[in-house]
Amino acid sequence: QVQLVESGGGLVQPGGSLRLSCAASGIIFSIYHMGWYRQAPGKQRELVARITNGGTANYADSVKGRFTISRDDAKNLVYLQINSLRPEDTAVYSCNAALGAQSHWGQGTQVTVSS
């Protein structure tokens, strides 16, 4: 019943922007902490941005100032606004919903930054 569906990825040139979306169903969205993770080929999955159920956001140092996470609890949506994209941002970006021992993942959306 739990479903997280990401969208908004694609191919973009360096310096460009994207907005990723994650639509959640099957959970009480407003009480879950939400996060965006990414995994590049040959690298470990890393947390890039997190927003708590109280609206507190945290970011990896590598994306601070360029990425913004936000949530719309009325629509069960979490967003990741990505600006000033760099080739090293290329990865599969996945949405996560967590509450205590509960953790749910979306299928991921590909972001490719290339000229």
Side-chain angles (χ1 to χ4, degrees), residues 60-103:
D61 287 342
S62 61
V63 308
K64 283 182 179 177
R66 300 188 298 120
F67 289 23
T68 302
I69 189 170
S70 60
R71 65 191 297 160
D72 185 342
D73 287 348
K75 297 182 177 181
N76 286 11
L77 291 171
V78 61
Y79 304 99
L80 187 68
Q81 178 67 43
I82 311 175
N83 298 326
S84 302
L85 278 159
R86 305 165 180 169
E88 53 263 43
D89 294 321
T90 295
V92 174
Y93 285 72
S94 299
C95 178
N96 173 263
L99 180 66
Q102 294 283 311
S103 184

